[in-house]
Short mmCIF file of all heavy atoms in Angstrom, two decimals:
data_model
loop_
_atom_site.label_atom_id
_atom_site.label_comp_id
_atom_site.label_asym_id
_atom_site.label_seq_id
_atom_site.Cartn_x
_atom_site.Cartn_y
_atom_site.Cartn_z
N MET Z 32 0.84 -1.20 0.00
CA MET Z 32 0.00 0.00 0.00
C MET Z 32 0.88 1.25 0.00
O MET Z 32 1.81 1.35 0.78
CB MET Z 32 -0.92 -0.01 1.23
CG MET Z 32 -1.87 1.16 1.24
SD MET Z 32 -3.15 1.02 2.53
CE MET Z 32 -2.20 1.41 3.99
N GLN Z 33 0.57 2.16 -0.89
CA GLN Z 33 1.34 3.40 -0.98
C GLN Z 33 0.76 4.44 -0.03
O GLN Z 33 -0.41 4.79 -0.14
CB GLN Z 33 1.27 3.92 -2.41
CG GLN Z 33 2.03 5.22 -2.61
CD GLN Z 33 3.30 5.00 -3.42
OE1 GLN Z 33 3.42 3.99 -4.08
NE2 GLN Z 33 4.23 5.91 -3.33
N LEU Z 34 1.56 4.92 0.90
CA LEU Z 34 1.09 5.95 1.82
C LEU Z 34 1.41 7.34 1.25
O LEU Z 34 2.46 7.55 0.67
CB LEU Z 34 1.74 5.79 3.19
CG LEU Z 34 1.36 4.53 3.96
CD1 LEU Z 34 2.15 4.43 5.24
CD2 LEU Z 34 -0.13 4.53 4.25
N HIS Z 35 0.49 8.25 1.45
CA HIS Z 35 0.70 9.62 0.99
C HIS Z 35 1.75 10.29 1.86
O HIS Z 35 1.67 10.25 3.09
CB HIS Z 35 -0.62 10.40 1.06
CG HIS Z 35 -0.47 11.84 0.69
ND1 HIS Z 35 -0.14 12.24 -0.59
CD2 HIS Z 35 -0.59 12.97 1.41
CE1 HIS Z 35 -0.08 13.55 -0.62
NE2 HIS Z 35 -0.35 14.02 0.58
N ASP Z 36 2.75 10.89 1.24
CA ASP Z 36 3.78 11.60 1.99
C ASP Z 36 3.38 13.06 2.15
O ASP Z 36 3.62 13.89 1.28
CB ASP Z 36 5.12 11.50 1.26
CG ASP Z 36 6.25 12.13 2.06
OD1 ASP Z 36 5.99 12.66 3.17
OD2 ASP Z 36 7.39 12.09 1.57
N ALA Z 37 2.73 13.38 3.26
CA ALA Z 37 2.21 14.73 3.48
C ALA Z 37 3.33 15.76 3.58
O ALA Z 37 3.12 16.94 3.34
CB ALA Z 37 1.36 14.76 4.75
N SER Z 38 4.54 15.32 3.92
CA SER Z 38 5.63 16.28 4.08
C SER Z 38 6.02 16.93 2.75
O SER Z 38 6.64 17.98 2.73
CB SER Z 38 6.85 15.60 4.69
OG SER Z 38 7.38 14.66 3.77
N LYS Z 39 5.66 16.29 1.65
CA LYS Z 39 5.99 16.86 0.34
C LYS Z 39 4.95 17.86 -0.13
O LYS Z 39 5.15 18.55 -1.11
CB LYS Z 39 6.13 15.74 -0.69
CG LYS Z 39 7.38 14.90 -0.48
CD LYS Z 39 7.49 13.84 -1.55
CE LYS Z 39 8.75 13.01 -1.33
NZ LYS Z 39 8.79 11.86 -2.24
N ASN Z 40 3.82 17.90 0.55
CA ASN Z 40 2.76 18.80 0.14
C ASN Z 40 2.81 20.07 0.97
O ASN Z 40 2.37 20.12 2.10
CB ASN Z 40 1.40 18.11 0.33
CG ASN Z 40 0.26 18.97 -0.18
OD1 ASN Z 40 0.49 20.06 -0.70
ND2 ASN Z 40 -0.94 18.49 0.01
N THR Z 41 3.39 21.15 0.39
CA THR Z 41 3.51 22.39 1.12
C THR Z 41 2.25 23.23 1.05
O THR Z 41 2.09 24.18 1.78
CB THR Z 41 4.69 23.22 0.59
OG1 THR Z 41 4.49 23.44 -0.80
CG2 THR Z 41 6.01 22.51 0.83
N LYS Z 42 1.35 22.88 0.15
CA LYS Z 42 0.11 23.64 0.02
C LYS Z 42 -0.96 23.02 0.90
O LYS Z 42 -1.18 21.83 0.88
CB LYS Z 42 -0.34 23.67 -1.44
CG LYS Z 42 0.73 24.28 -2.34
CD LYS Z 42 0.15 24.84 -3.60
CE LYS Z 42 1.29 25.48 -4.41
NZ LYS Z 42 0.81 26.45 -5.36
N LYS Z 43 -1.65 23.88 1.66
CA LYS Z 43 -2.65 23.39 2.60
C LYS Z 43 -3.88 22.85 1.88
O LYS Z 43 -4.55 21.97 2.37
CB LYS Z 43 -3.07 24.52 3.55
CG LYS Z 43 -1.98 24.85 4.56
CD LYS Z 43 -2.48 25.83 5.59
CE LYS Z 43 -1.42 26.06 6.67
NZ LYS Z 43 -1.82 27.05 7.64
N ASN Z 44 -4.19 23.43 0.72
CA ASN Z 44 -5.38 23.00 -0.01
C ASN Z 44 -5.02 22.94 -1.48
O ASN Z 44 -5.33 23.83 -2.25
CB ASN Z 44 -6.53 23.99 0.24
CG ASN Z 44 -7.82 23.48 -0.36
OD1 ASN Z 44 -7.86 22.43 -1.01
ND2 ASN Z 44 -8.89 24.23 -0.16
N ALA Z 45 -4.31 21.88 -1.84
CA ALA Z 45 -3.72 21.80 -3.17
C ALA Z 45 -4.73 21.72 -4.29
O ALA Z 45 -4.40 21.94 -5.44
CB ALA Z 45 -2.77 20.61 -3.23
N SER Z 46 -5.99 21.41 -3.97
CA SER Z 46 -6.99 21.31 -5.02
C SER Z 46 -7.57 22.67 -5.40
O SER Z 46 -8.27 22.78 -6.39
CB SER Z 46 -8.11 20.38 -4.58
OG SER Z 46 -8.78 20.93 -3.47
N ALA Z 47 -7.27 23.71 -4.61
CA ALA Z 47 -7.80 25.04 -4.88
C ALA Z 47 -6.75 25.92 -5.51
O ALA Z 47 -5.56 25.58 -5.55
CB ALA Z 47 -8.29 25.66 -3.58
N THR Z 48 -7.18 27.06 -6.03
CA THR Z 48 -6.26 28.11 -6.45
C THR Z 48 -6.77 29.42 -5.87
O THR Z 48 -7.95 29.56 -5.56
CB THR Z 48 -6.19 28.23 -7.99
OG1 THR Z 48 -7.51 28.48 -8.49
CG2 THR Z 48 -5.62 26.99 -8.63
N LEU Z 49 -5.87 30.36 -5.72
CA LEU Z 49 -6.27 31.68 -5.25
C LEU Z 49 -6.75 32.49 -6.45
O LEU Z 49 -6.04 32.62 -7.43
CB LEU Z 49 -5.10 32.39 -4.57
CG LEU Z 49 -5.46 33.78 -4.06
CD1 LEU Z 49 -6.42 33.70 -2.89
CD2 LEU Z 49 -4.22 34.55 -3.68
N GLN Z 50 -7.95 33.02 -6.34
CA GLN Z 50 -8.50 33.79 -7.44
C GLN Z 50 -8.81 35.21 -7.00
O GLN Z 50 -9.27 35.43 -5.88
CB GLN Z 50 -9.77 33.09 -7.96
CG GLN Z 50 -9.45 31.69 -8.46
CD GLN Z 50 -10.59 31.05 -9.20
OE1 GLN Z 50 -11.63 31.65 -9.43
NE2 GLN Z 50 -10.40 29.81 -9.58
N VAL Z 51 -8.53 36.14 -7.88
CA VAL Z 51 -8.77 37.56 -7.62
C VAL Z 51 -9.97 38.00 -8.44
O VAL Z 51 -10.05 37.73 -9.64
CB VAL Z 51 -7.54 38.40 -8.01
CG1 VAL Z 51 -7.80 39.88 -7.73
CG2 VAL Z 51 -6.31 37.93 -7.27
N ASP Z 52 -10.91 38.69 -7.78
CA ASP Z 52 -12.09 39.20 -8.48
C ASP Z 52 -11.95 40.72 -8.61
O ASP Z 52 -12.20 41.46 -7.66
CB ASP Z 52 -13.35 38.86 -7.69
CG ASP Z 52 -14.62 39.29 -8.43
OD1 ASP Z 52 -14.51 40.04 -9.42
OD2 ASP Z 52 -15.70 38.89 -8.01
N PRO Z 53 -11.53 41.20 -9.78
CA PRO Z 53 -11.32 42.64 -9.97
C PRO Z 53 -12.60 43.45 -9.79
O PRO Z 53 -12.54 44.65 -9.51
CB PRO Z 53 -10.82 42.74 -11.42
CG PRO Z 53 -10.43 41.37 -11.81
CD PRO Z 53 -11.26 40.43 -10.99
N GLN Z 54 -13.75 42.80 -9.94
CA GLN Z 54 -15.03 43.51 -9.77
C GLN Z 54 -15.26 43.89 -8.31
O GLN Z 54 -15.95 44.86 -8.01
CB GLN Z 54 -16.19 42.62 -10.24
CG GLN Z 54 -16.04 42.07 -11.64
CD GLN Z 54 -16.38 43.08 -12.72
OE1 GLN Z 54 -16.41 44.27 -12.47
NE2 GLN Z 54 -16.61 42.60 -13.92
N ARG Z 55 -14.69 43.10 -7.41
CA ARG Z 55 -14.87 43.38 -5.97
C ARG Z 55 -13.82 44.36 -5.45
O ARG Z 55 -14.04 44.99 -4.42
CB ARG Z 55 -14.79 42.08 -5.17
CG ARG Z 55 -16.02 41.20 -5.32
CD ARG Z 55 -15.86 39.94 -4.50
NE ARG Z 55 -17.07 39.14 -4.49
CZ ARG Z 55 -17.98 39.16 -3.50
NH1 ARG Z 55 -17.78 39.92 -2.46
NH2 ARG Z 55 -19.07 38.43 -3.56
N CYS Z 56 -12.68 44.44 -6.13
CA CYS Z 56 -11.59 45.31 -5.67
C CYS Z 56 -11.83 46.73 -6.13
O CYS Z 56 -12.02 46.97 -7.32
CB CYS Z 56 -10.26 44.79 -6.23
SG CYS Z 56 -8.85 45.84 -5.78
N PRO Z 57 -11.83 47.73 -5.20
CA PRO Z 57 -12.04 49.12 -5.59
C PRO Z 57 -10.91 49.67 -6.47
O PRO Z 57 -11.10 50.66 -7.18
CB PRO Z 57 -12.10 49.87 -4.25
CG PRO Z 57 -12.19 48.84 -3.20
CD PRO Z 57 -11.70 47.54 -3.77
N GLN Z 58 -9.76 49.04 -6.40
CA GLN Z 58 -8.60 49.42 -7.23
C GLN Z 58 -8.23 50.89 -7.05
O GLN Z 58 -7.94 51.58 -8.02
CB GLN Z 58 -8.86 49.08 -8.71
CG GLN Z 58 -9.23 47.60 -8.88
CD GLN Z 58 -9.27 47.15 -10.33
OE1 GLN Z 58 -8.33 47.39 -11.08
NE2 GLN Z 58 -10.35 46.49 -10.72
N ASP Z 59 -8.28 51.35 -5.78
CA ASP Z 59 -7.93 52.74 -5.49
C ASP Z 59 -6.94 52.86 -4.33
O ASP Z 59 -6.85 53.88 -3.68
CB ASP Z 59 -9.20 53.55 -5.19
CG ASP Z 59 -9.94 53.03 -3.95
OD1 ASP Z 59 -9.50 52.02 -3.34
OD2 ASP Z 59 -10.96 53.64 -3.59
N HIS Z 60 -6.22 51.77 -4.06
CA HIS Z 60 -5.30 51.77 -2.92
C HIS Z 60 -4.20 50.71 -3.13
O HIS Z 60 -4.36 49.81 -3.95
CB HIS Z 60 -6.06 51.46 -1.63
CG HIS Z 60 -6.77 50.13 -1.67
ND1 HIS Z 60 -7.98 49.93 -2.33
CD2 HIS Z 60 -6.43 48.92 -1.16
CE1 HIS Z 60 -8.35 48.67 -2.21
NE2 HIS Z 60 -7.42 48.02 -1.51
N VAL Z 61 -3.13 50.87 -2.34
CA VAL Z 61 -2.11 49.81 -2.33
C VAL Z 61 -2.71 48.61 -1.62
O VAL Z 61 -3.26 48.72 -0.52
CB VAL Z 61 -0.84 50.29 -1.58
CG1 VAL Z 61 0.14 49.13 -1.42
CG2 VAL Z 61 -0.20 51.44 -2.31
N CYS Z 62 -2.64 47.46 -2.23
CA CYS Z 62 -3.27 46.25 -1.68
C CYS Z 62 -2.56 45.83 -0.40
O CYS Z 62 -1.37 45.48 -0.42
CB CYS Z 62 -3.21 45.12 -2.70
SG CYS Z 62 -3.86 43.56 -2.06
N PRO Z 63 -3.26 45.85 0.75
CA PRO Z 63 -2.63 45.47 2.01
C PRO Z 63 -2.27 43.99 2.08
O PRO Z 63 -1.43 43.59 2.87
CB PRO Z 63 -3.69 45.83 3.07
CG PRO Z 63 -4.99 45.81 2.32
CD PRO Z 63 -4.67 46.23 0.91
N ALA Z 64 -2.90 43.20 1.23
CA ALA Z 64 -2.63 41.76 1.26
C ALA Z 64 -1.20 41.46 0.82
O ALA Z 64 -0.63 40.44 1.20
CB ALA Z 64 -3.63 41.02 0.38
N MET Z 65 -0.61 42.35 0.02
CA MET Z 65 0.78 42.11 -0.41
C MET Z 65 1.71 42.04 0.80
O MET Z 65 2.68 41.29 0.79
CB MET Z 65 1.24 43.21 -1.36
CG MET Z 65 0.56 43.18 -2.71
SD MET Z 65 1.37 44.28 -3.90
CE MET Z 65 1.18 45.87 -3.10
N GLY Z 66 1.39 42.84 1.82
CA GLY Z 66 2.25 42.90 3.00
C GLY Z 66 2.09 41.71 3.93
O GLY Z 66 2.96 41.46 4.76
N ILE Z 67 0.97 41.00 3.80
CA ILE Z 67 0.73 39.88 4.72
C ILE Z 67 1.11 38.54 4.10
O ILE Z 67 1.31 37.56 4.81
CB ILE Z 67 -0.76 39.87 5.16
CG1 ILE Z 67 -0.91 39.10 6.47
CG2 ILE Z 67 -1.66 39.29 4.09
CD1 ILE Z 67 -2.31 39.17 7.06
N CYS Z 68 1.25 38.50 2.80
CA CYS Z 68 1.59 37.24 2.13
C CYS Z 68 2.98 36.78 2.55
O CYS Z 68 3.95 37.50 2.37
CB CYS Z 68 1.53 37.41 0.61
SG CYS Z 68 2.02 35.92 -0.27
N PRO Z 69 3.10 35.58 3.11
CA PRO Z 69 4.39 35.11 3.63
C PRO Z 69 5.39 34.74 2.55
O PRO Z 69 6.57 34.55 2.86
CB PRO Z 69 4.00 33.89 4.47
CG PRO Z 69 2.72 33.40 3.88
CD PRO Z 69 2.01 34.62 3.37
N VAL Z 70 4.93 34.60 1.32
CA VAL Z 70 5.85 34.14 0.27
C VAL Z 70 5.98 35.14 -0.89
O VAL Z 70 6.59 34.83 -1.91
CB VAL Z 70 5.42 32.76 -0.28
CG1 VAL Z 70 5.55 31.69 0.80
CG2 VAL Z 70 3.99 32.81 -0.83
N GLY Z 71 5.40 36.33 -0.74
CA GLY Z 71 5.52 37.34 -1.79
C GLY Z 71 4.86 36.95 -3.10
O GLY Z 71 5.35 37.27 -4.18
N ALA Z 72 3.71 36.28 -2.98
CA ALA Z 72 3.03 35.79 -4.19
C ALA Z 72 2.12 36.84 -4.83
O ALA Z 72 1.64 36.63 -5.93
CB ALA Z 72 2.21 34.55 -3.85
N LEU Z 73 1.89 37.95 -4.13
CA LEU Z 73 0.99 38.98 -4.66
C LEU Z 73 1.78 40.18 -5.14
O LEU Z 73 2.70 40.66 -4.47
CB LEU Z 73 0.00 39.42 -3.57
CG LEU Z 73 -1.02 38.38 -3.12
CD1 LEU Z 73 -1.80 38.89 -1.92
CD2 LEU Z 73 -1.96 38.02 -4.25
N THR Z 74 1.43 40.67 -6.32
CA THR Z 74 2.03 41.89 -6.85
C THR Z 74 0.90 42.78 -7.36
O THR Z 74 -0.24 42.33 -7.56
CB THR Z 74 3.00 41.59 -8.01
OG1 THR Z 74 2.32 40.84 -9.01
CG2 THR Z 74 4.21 40.83 -7.52
N GLN Z 75 1.22 44.04 -7.56
CA GLN Z 75 0.20 44.99 -7.98
C GLN Z 75 0.82 45.99 -8.93
O GLN Z 75 1.94 46.47 -8.71
CB GLN Z 75 -0.36 45.70 -6.74
CG GLN Z 75 -1.54 46.62 -7.01
CD GLN Z 75 -2.04 47.29 -5.73
OE1 GLN Z 75 -1.25 47.55 -4.83
NE2 GLN Z 75 -3.32 47.57 -5.68
N VAL Z 76 0.11 46.32 -9.99
CA VAL Z 76 0.54 47.37 -10.92
C VAL Z 76 -0.32 48.59 -10.64
O VAL Z 76 -1.54 48.54 -10.82
CB VAL Z 76 0.37 46.90 -12.38
CG1 VAL Z 76 0.75 48.03 -13.33
CG2 VAL Z 76 1.20 45.66 -12.65
N GLY Z 77 0.30 49.64 -10.14
CA GLY Z 77 -0.47 50.82 -9.74
C GLY Z 77 -1.43 50.44 -8.63
O GLY Z 77 -1.05 49.76 -7.68
N PHE Z 78 -2.69 50.86 -8.76
CA PHE Z 78 -3.71 50.50 -7.77
C PHE Z 78 -4.64 49.41 -8.31
O PHE Z 78 -5.72 49.18 -7.78
CB PHE Z 78 -4.54 51.73 -7.39
CG PHE Z 78 -3.82 52.72 -6.51
CD1 PHE Z 78 -4.33 54.00 -6.33
CD2 PHE Z 78 -2.66 52.38 -5.85
CE1 PHE Z 78 -3.69 54.92 -5.51
CE2 PHE Z 78 -2.00 53.29 -5.03
CZ PHE Z 78 -2.52 54.56 -4.86
N ALA Z 79 -4.20 48.75 -9.35
CA ALA Z 79 -5.04 47.69 -9.93
C ALA Z 79 -5.20 46.53 -8.95
O ALA Z 79 -4.46 46.41 -7.97
CB ALA Z 79 -4.41 47.18 -11.23
N ALA Z 80 -6.16 45.67 -9.21
CA ALA Z 80 -6.34 44.48 -8.38
C ALA Z 80 -5.05 43.66 -8.41
O ALA Z 80 -4.37 43.60 -9.44
CB ALA Z 80 -7.51 43.66 -8.91
N PRO Z 81 -4.69 43.05 -7.28
CA PRO Z 81 -3.43 42.31 -7.23
C PRO Z 81 -3.43 41.09 -8.15
O PRO Z 81 -4.48 40.56 -8.51
CB PRO Z 81 -3.33 41.89 -5.76
CG PRO Z 81 -4.73 41.88 -5.27
CD PRO Z 81 -5.44 42.96 -6.03
N GLN Z 82 -2.22 40.69 -8.50
CA GLN Z 82 -2.04 39.49 -9.31
C GLN Z 82 -1.36 38.43 -8.46
O GLN Z 82 -0.54 38.74 -7.60
CB GLN Z 82 -1.19 39.81 -10.55
CG GLN Z 82 -1.87 40.81 -11.48
CD GLN Z 82 -1.00 41.20 -12.66
OE1 GLN Z 82 0.21 41.29 -12.54
NE2 GLN Z 82 -1.64 41.44 -13.79
N VAL Z 83 -1.70 37.19 -8.71
CA VAL Z 83 -1.18 36.07 -7.92
C VAL Z 83 -0.17 35.29 -8.74
O VAL Z 83 -0.43 34.95 -9.89
CB VAL Z 83 -2.31 35.11 -7.52
CG1 VAL Z 83 -1.79 34.05 -6.55
CG2 VAL Z 83 -3.48 35.86 -6.93
N ASP Z 84 0.96 34.98 -8.13
CA ASP Z 84 1.92 34.06 -8.74
C ASP Z 84 1.60 32.67 -8.19
O ASP Z 84 1.92 32.36 -7.03
CB ASP Z 84 3.35 34.48 -8.37
CG ASP Z 84 4.40 33.60 -9.05
OD1 ASP Z 84 4.08 32.44 -9.41
OD2 ASP Z 84 5.54 34.06 -9.20
N ASP Z 85 0.94 31.88 -8.99
CA ASP Z 85 0.51 30.55 -8.53
C ASP Z 85 1.67 29.64 -8.17
O ASP Z 85 1.51 28.68 -7.41
CB ASP Z 85 -0.36 29.88 -9.60
CG ASP Z 85 -1.72 30.54 -9.73
OD1 ASP Z 85 -2.25 31.02 -8.70
OD2 ASP Z 85 -2.25 30.61 -10.85
N GLU Z 86 2.84 29.90 -8.75
CA GLU Z 86 4.01 29.08 -8.42
C GLU Z 86 4.47 29.35 -6.99
O GLU Z 86 4.99 28.46 -6.32
CB GLU Z 86 5.16 29.39 -9.40
CG GLU Z 86 4.86 29.01 -10.84
CD GLU Z 86 4.72 27.51 -11.02
OE1 GLU Z 86 5.57 26.79 -10.48
OE2 GLU Z 86 3.75 27.08 -11.66
N LYS Z 87 4.29 30.59 -6.53
CA LYS Z 87 4.73 30.95 -5.17
C LYS Z 87 3.65 30.70 -4.12
O LYS Z 87 3.96 30.36 -2.99
CB LYS Z 87 5.12 32.43 -5.13
CG LYS Z 87 6.39 32.79 -5.88
CD LYS Z 87 6.70 34.27 -5.67
CE LYS Z 87 7.98 34.68 -6.39
NZ LYS Z 87 8.22 36.15 -6.24
N CYS Z 88 2.40 30.93 -4.48
CA CYS Z 88 1.30 30.88 -3.51
C CYS Z 88 1.20 29.50 -2.86
O CYS Z 88 1.16 28.48 -3.55
CB CYS Z 88 -0.01 31.22 -4.21
SG CYS Z 88 -1.46 31.12 -3.13
N ILE Z 89 1.15 29.50 -1.53
CA ILE Z 89 1.03 28.24 -0.78
C ILE Z 89 -0.41 28.04 -0.28
O ILE Z 89 -0.66 27.16 0.54
CB ILE Z 89 2.03 28.19 0.38
CG1 ILE Z 89 1.84 29.38 1.32
CG2 ILE Z 89 3.46 28.12 -0.14
CD1 ILE Z 89 2.65 29.29 2.62
N LEU Z 90 -1.32 28.88 -0.73
CA LEU Z 90 -2.75 28.74 -0.43
C LEU Z 90 -3.03 28.80 1.07
O LEU Z 90 -3.91 28.08 1.57
CB LEU Z 90 -3.29 27.43 -1.03
CG LEU Z 90 -3.05 27.24 -2.53
CD1 LEU Z 90 -3.44 25.84 -2.97
CD2 LEU Z 90 -3.80 28.29 -3.33
N CYS Z 91 -2.31 29.68 1.76
CA CYS Z 91 -2.49 29.76 3.22
C CYS Z 91 -3.79 30.46 3.61
O CYS Z 91 -4.28 30.28 4.71
CB CYS Z 91 -1.30 30.48 3.85
SG CYS Z 91 -1.22 32.25 3.44
N GLY Z 92 -4.31 31.31 2.72
CA GLY Z 92 -5.58 31.98 2.99
C GLY Z 92 -5.48 33.27 3.77
O GLY Z 92 -6.49 33.89 4.08
N LYS Z 93 -4.26 33.71 4.11
CA LYS Z 93 -4.13 34.94 4.90
C LYS Z 93 -4.69 36.15 4.16
O LYS Z 93 -5.35 37.00 4.74
CB LYS Z 93 -2.65 35.18 5.25
CG LYS Z 93 -2.13 34.22 6.30
CD LYS Z 93 -0.71 34.55 6.68
CE LYS Z 93 -0.24 33.61 7.79
NZ LYS Z 93 1.14 33.89 8.19
N CYS Z 94 -4.41 36.24 2.88
CA CYS Z 94 -4.91 37.38 2.09
C CYS Z 94 -6.43 37.32 1.95
O CYS Z 94 -7.11 38.35 1.95
CB CYS Z 94 -4.24 37.42 0.73
SG CYS Z 94 -4.53 35.95 -0.29
N VAL Z 95 -6.97 36.12 1.88
CA VAL Z 95 -8.42 35.94 1.76
C VAL Z 95 -9.10 36.49 3.00
O VAL Z 95 -10.11 37.20 2.92
CB VAL Z 95 -8.76 34.45 1.57
CG1 VAL Z 95 -10.26 34.23 1.54
CG2 VAL Z 95 -8.12 33.92 0.29
N ARG Z 96 -8.54 36.19 4.16
CA ARG Z 96 -9.13 36.64 5.43
C ARG Z 96 -8.92 38.14 5.62
O ARG Z 96 -9.73 38.80 6.28
CB ARG Z 96 -8.52 35.87 6.60
CG ARG Z 96 -8.93 34.40 6.61
CD ARG Z 96 -8.51 33.69 7.89
NE ARG Z 96 -7.07 33.51 7.99
CZ ARG Z 96 -6.41 32.49 7.46
NH1 ARG Z 96 -7.05 31.56 6.80
NH2 ARG Z 96 -5.11 32.39 7.60
N LEU Z 97 -7.86 38.69 5.04
CA LEU Z 97 -7.56 40.11 5.24
C LEU Z 97 -8.44 41.02 4.40
O LEU Z 97 -8.90 42.07 4.89
CB LEU Z 97 -6.09 40.37 4.88
CG LEU Z 97 -5.64 41.82 5.06
CD1 LEU Z 97 -5.39 42.12 6.54
CD2 LEU Z 97 -4.38 42.10 4.26
N CYS Z 98 -8.70 40.67 3.17
CA CYS Z 98 -9.39 41.58 2.25
C CYS Z 98 -10.85 41.79 2.68
O CYS Z 98 -11.65 40.85 2.63
CB CYS Z 98 -9.33 41.04 0.83
SG CYS Z 98 -10.18 42.14 -0.34
N PRO Z 99 -11.22 43.03 3.05
CA PRO Z 99 -12.58 43.28 3.51
C PRO Z 99 -13.60 43.26 2.38
O PRO Z 99 -14.80 43.18 2.61
CB PRO Z 99 -12.49 44.67 4.14
CG PRO Z 99 -11.34 45.32 3.46
CD PRO Z 99 -10.37 44.22 3.11
N LYS Z 100 -13.12 43.34 1.14
CA LYS Z 100 -14.03 43.36 0.00
C LYS Z 100 -14.29 41.97 -0.57
O LYS Z 100 -15.08 41.81 -1.49
CB LYS Z 100 -13.44 44.23 -1.12
CG LYS Z 100 -13.28 45.69 -0.73
CD LYS Z 100 -14.62 46.35 -0.55
CE LYS Z 100 -14.47 47.84 -0.31
NZ LYS Z 100 -15.78 48.50 -0.11
N GLY Z 101 -13.58 40.98 -0.05
CA GLY Z 101 -13.77 39.63 -0.58
C GLY Z 101 -13.26 39.48 -1.99
O GLY Z 101 -13.77 38.65 -2.76
N ALA Z 102 -12.25 40.26 -2.33
CA ALA Z 102 -11.73 40.22 -3.70
C ALA Z 102 -10.80 39.03 -3.94
O ALA Z 102 -10.49 38.71 -5.07
CB ALA Z 102 -10.99 41.51 -4.02
N LEU Z 103 -10.37 38.40 -2.86
CA LEU Z 103 -9.47 37.25 -2.96
C LEU Z 103 -10.21 36.02 -2.41
O LEU Z 103 -10.82 36.09 -1.35
CB LEU Z 103 -8.20 37.49 -2.16
CG LEU Z 103 -7.36 38.69 -2.64
CD1 LEU Z 103 -6.53 39.26 -1.50
CD2 LEU Z 103 -6.46 38.28 -3.78
N ALA Z 104 -10.14 34.95 -3.15
CA ALA Z 104 -10.87 33.76 -2.72
C ALA Z 104 -10.12 32.50 -3.12
O ALA Z 104 -9.50 32.44 -4.18
CB ALA Z 104 -12.26 33.75 -3.32
N LEU Z 105 -10.18 31.51 -2.27
CA LEU Z 105 -9.65 30.18 -2.60
C LEU Z 105 -10.81 29.37 -3.17
O LEU Z 105 -11.81 29.13 -2.49
CB LEU Z 105 -9.07 29.51 -1.34
CG LEU Z 105 -7.78 30.10 -0.81
CD1 LEU Z 105 -7.43 29.49 0.54
CD2 LEU Z 105 -6.64 29.89 -1.80
N LYS Z 106 -10.67 28.96 -4.42
CA LYS Z 106 -11.76 28.21 -5.07
C LYS Z 106 -11.19 26.97 -5.72
O LYS Z 106 -10.08 26.98 -6.19
CB LYS Z 106 -12.43 29.08 -6.12
CG LYS Z 106 -13.18 30.25 -5.53
CD LYS Z 106 -13.88 31.03 -6.62
CE LYS Z 106 -14.62 32.24 -6.06
NZ LYS Z 106 -15.19 33.08 -7.11
S1 SF4 D 1058 -3.10 32.49 -0.07
FE1 SF4 D 1058 -1.30 32.93 1.27
S2 SF4 D 1058 0.49 32.49 -0.03
FE2 SF4 D 1058 -1.28 32.69 -1.43
S3 SF4 D 1058 -1.23 34.85 -2.08
FE3 SF4 D 1058 -2.62 34.71 -0.26
S4 SF4 D 1058 -1.30 35.19 1.51
FE4 SF4 D 1058 0.07 34.69 -0.25
#
């Protein structure tokens, strides 16, 4: 029987991806979620909605919980 090696899975919810909804983001401020992301996966051009680097994102959900507009979601 093959046992799953959980130590190799750094993502908490590997079946999901972090998605940004530009319709929910007011796009009039520096995104505070960039400062809370532990791996620097969020970037922003001007005041536009943030962009996610899926290669870096570990799906921790910190940005999802921080954004008061619900513009970031794990789906
Ligand atoms: S889910 Fe976590 S790792 Fe991914 S962008 Fe948000 S704060 Fe960064």
Side-chain angles (χ1 to χ4, degrees):
M32 183 170 75
Q33 180 108 18
L34 294 176
H35 176 67
D36 185 359
S38 67
K39 289 182 179 172
N40 184 2
T41 57
K42 302 203 178 202
K43 288 188 175 176
N44 187 357
S46 64
T48 57
L49 180 69
Q50 300 191 3
V51 180
D52 184 348
Q54 307 281 18
R55 286 180 173 262
C56 178
Q58 305 190 50
D59 62 358
H60 58 282
V61 173
C62 176
M65 290 191 299
I67 202 173
C68 177
V70 294
L73 293 172
T74 55
Q75 187 180 31
V76 177
F78 286 166
Q82 297 176 326
V83 187
D84 183 336
D85 289 326
E86 296 294 314
K87 290 183 179 177
C88 178
I89 57 171
L90 305 172
C91 69
K93 288 184 177 180
C94 60
V95 176
R96 292 189 290 275
L97 181 77
C98 179
K100 297 292 186 181
L103 298 153
L105 289 172
K106 293 182 181 175

